[in-house]
Amino acid sequence: MANPIIIIGAGLTGLSLAYMLEKKRIEYLILEAKNHIGGRIETIESTKNASLEMGATWVHPEPQWLDFLKELDISLFTQKLGTQAWVDGNSGQKISMEIPPQAPMYRVKGGTIQIIKNLKKKIAKNAIKTSTICHQIKQLDNRDIQINTNKGTYISDKVILTLPPKLLANSINFDPQLSDNYTSEANDCATWMEYSTKFAIRFKVQFWNNLPYTLFSQTGLIQEMYEHCSKDGQYFALKGFLNSKCLDLSPSKREQKVVTELKSIYKEHF
């Protein structure tokens, strides 16, 4: 009997692959270093407030992707942008300007984590080993592959790695070693959203009313901001991205500066 295919990483890629193998009745096993699944999808869920996306947020309307989400019974709704956005004015203050037509973006009802939850329901029970850190991948003489982890050794003739190239090259020891050319290219390969810092704030009321809730800036701490309310419009939030100035600030200092900036934009409305 063949060994199961080993998938390294239980993010969206690893879980989607497991689901496809499940449909073809091909045996597999997922090894995940963290104590939870989902990778770069991280939703702060709430039943009495807006769910906040601190990882992957938007779905772009690509047919294959939309068909896949429909298969997973995922409900989408359109990201609101409004007709006006805050932009940088000459005086340093934010001014309202009309937004040109934008390609639609969608959000997942209940948060992007619903994709992960629904994938988990469709793959085999006990097929995911969390808190299992892969530290070495070794090619054996019989061409099988040995994966050494903090929780033991696994053997397979097929191993699929879903980690970002830079993380892969710097966190796993390979025997035989990866080529210098591959390692160099991996380290030069940008990791999605690697240097992005997000913020999100919940509110009891939608204080912005008819004012813009979208923002684009090159000068402020907040570089981008979007409406982040629940699909039913009952719970309210704003979220966005901070510029690189925030990297040297503590979380509490970032919070203080974001609130101060929003107060300067919305004034008495905030």
Side-chain angles (χ1 to χ4, degrees):
M1 182 176 178
N3 290 321
I5 294 173
I6 303 292
I7 302 170
I8 308 296
L12 180 58
T13 301
L15 295 175
S16 298
L17 174 59
Y19 170 52
M20 295 173 188
L21 293 173
E22 181 74 26
K23 290 197 295 182
K24 293 183 178 294
R25 298 185 179 182
I26 298 174
E27 193 175 359
Y28 58 88
L29 181 67
I30 307 173
L31 306 181
E32 168 57 48
K34 295 180 180 178
N35 62 3
H36 63 276
I37 64 175
R40 290 175 175 269
I41 291 177
E42 181 182 356
T43 304
I44 302 175
E45 296 183 273
S46 175
T47 57
K48 298 182 179 180
N49 218 319
S51 294
L52 304 178
E53 302 287 9
M54 304 314 293
T57 303
W58 294 288
V59 174
H60 295 276
E62 298 173 1
Q64 284 185 309
W65 182 222
L66 295 179
D67 288 344
F68 181 66
L69 295 181
K70 184 177 180 180
E71 187 177 325
L72 293 176
D73 197 27
I74 295 295
S75 176
L76 303 176
F77 63 104
T78 303
Q79 169 69 59
K80 294 180 181 178
L81 292 176
T83 58
Q84 301 282 319
W86 297 111
V87 298
D88 298 324
N90 293 332
S91 64
Q93 297 295 314
K94 297 294 183 289
I95 61 173
S96 177
M97 182 174 290
E98 185 176 352
I99 300 177
Q102 303 285 320
M105 297 188 298
Y106 300 94
R107 288 168 52 202
V108 175
K109 180 182 178 182
T112 315
I113 194 65
Q114 302 309 318
I115 302 174
I116 300 301
K117 289 183 175 182
N118 286 14
L119 278 170
K120 184 181 178 182
K121 292 176 184 177
K122 293 180 178 294
I123 65 178
K125 292 183 178 180
N126 304 318
I128 305 172
K129 304 293 184 183
T130 56
S131 301
T132 304
I133 303 170
C134 172
H135 55 79
Q136 185 186 46
I137 295 178
K138 183 178 181 179
Q139 182 84 61
L140 301 179
D141 291 340
N142 64 356
R143 307 306 292 173
D144 277 348
I145 301 168
Q146 177 176 303
I147 303 100
N148 296 321
T149 78
N150 62 318
K151 291 190 173 180
T153 298
Y154 298 85
I155 303 290
S156 179
D157 59 348
K158 295 181 180 66
V159 176
I160 301 175
L161 304 163
T162 70
L163 306 182
K166 189 185 297 184
L167 178 60
L168 173 69
N170 290 281
S171 62
I172 299 177
N173 174 261
F174 288 86
D175 183 5
Q177 294 182 353
L178 298 174
S179 69
D180 291 342
N181 184 56
Y182 178 89
T183 301
S184 176
E185 289 188 3
N187 282 308
D188 288 339
C189 183
T191 300
W192 177 75
M193 304 298 283
E194 181 178 6
Y195 300 109
S196 294
T197 303
K198 292 186 174 181
F199 76 94
I201 308 179
R202 293 176 173 135
F203 300 96
K204 293 182 178 180
V205 298
Q206 187 174 302
F207 70 87
W208 49 89
N209 297 316
N210 295 322
L211 295 170
Y213 42 77
T214 303
L215 178 148
F216 303 105
S217 174
Q218 296 295 320
T219 62
L221 184 67
I222 303 174
Q223 285 192 315
E224 296 180 33
M225 185 174 72
Y226 304 93
E227 179 262 9
H228 204 60
C229 302
S230 59
K231 180 182 179 181
D232 58 16
Q234 293 185 5
Y235 304 114
F236 315 108
L238 295 171
K239 71 159 289 180
F241 300 85
L242 305 180
N243 68 28
S244 58
K245 298 176 185 177
C246 76
L247 296 176
D248 296 328
L249 302 176
S250 66
S252 61
K253 196 67 174 179
R254 292 177 194 174
E255 178 181 351
Q256 178 186 339
K257 285 185 173 294
V258 166
V259 170
T260 298
E261 194 162 310
L262 289 175
K263 284 182 177 179
S264 72
I265 295 170
Y266 288 104
K267 299 180 171 56
E268 69 273 9
H269 299 279
F270 186 81

